[in-house]
Amino acid sequence: MANTLRPYLTCIRNTLTAAMCLQNFPCQEVERHNKPEVEFKTSKELLLNPILICRNEAEKCLIESSINSLRISIKVKQADELENILAKKFLRFLSMRAESFQVLRRKPVQGYDISFLITNFHCEEMFKHKLIDFVVAFMEDIDKEISELKLSVNTRGRLVATEFLRQFT
Amino acid sequence: MADDEDNGSSVLDADTFVETEAPAVIIARIEGKSRQVERLLRIPQYTEALETALMDAPTQTRDEQCKAANWILVHRVLMATKDVDGLLLGLNPELHDVLMKYLYRGLATGDRITCDLCLRLHEKLFDMAGIGCIMRAISDTQNLV
């Protein structure tokens, strides 16, 4: 429903603006190492409360933040089996090319479809508000992309079936 | 310091947390509050009902039952409210942070109607209270609601 999409994205945008306050923080346990603390979760004092924002039973977004990194995990809407397969393939395609996206995580967090990992280094190179715009636009576009893919699969299927069965008429 | 190896325990450990009130006392207080809230909802005075529900929230305890009981109370008030805009206008500013924590708890439930309501309230509360409110809600690891 479009009427809950706007508030859902606004909520995520506002929460990300608050959670994306990152600074450089060298590892406390190992010298000369600099690790994204949200991934390792070794020191509790460096972590913020994880925030789970659900739009409904199917769609949710988990935002975990720490002193030098932020992890955003998204579960996209999958209404039927076909959308399930399309979403899985499409998001796997993107995740495998995580290098070029920079802020994408190679494997989604357990229970979610895709994850972003934003570190303080990303915030230093890129504008914070632009990073947030990217994540929110990504969430908006992912639904449209999957709907388009589903439409094209159905259209192709119909055309192929028509052509094939024509020989029997 | 290298010799301060204390197997990773920090000031946030549960052992150092001092419970000021017994859970039974808190539950009794919440029950008293719920009677008051029901009375206020019948009038109806939604803002006062919400203020009563949010006041003295069991943030200082670790008992999950107390927290759940107060959450049910706050949830009851939020669902019963007809006028969402007016609800927040009259609310005491000191209770904004607690309300924001409850809204995030509501958003985590996943129930469609609750989430719908919490998203709308979140947007309005953010416009009123600003980004500091969200920051305090996510950075406060001690007083969890």
Side-chain angles (χ1 to χ4, degrees), chain B residues 85-96:
Chain B
D85 297 318
L87 177 72
L88 295 177
L89 282 171
L91 192 64
N92 185 357
E94 288 172 6
L95 298 171
H96 283 167

Side-chain angles (χ1 to χ4, degrees), chain B residues 89-114:
Chain B
L89 282 171
L91 192 64
N92 185 357
E94 288 172 6
L95 298 171
H96 283 167
D97 292 345
V98 186
L99 180 59
M100 185 58 89
K101 290 182 191 174
Y102 275 116
L103 287 178
Y104 277 123
R105 186 170 173 152
L107 285 170
T109 55
D111 169 47
R112 185 180 291 260
I113 310 163
T114 313

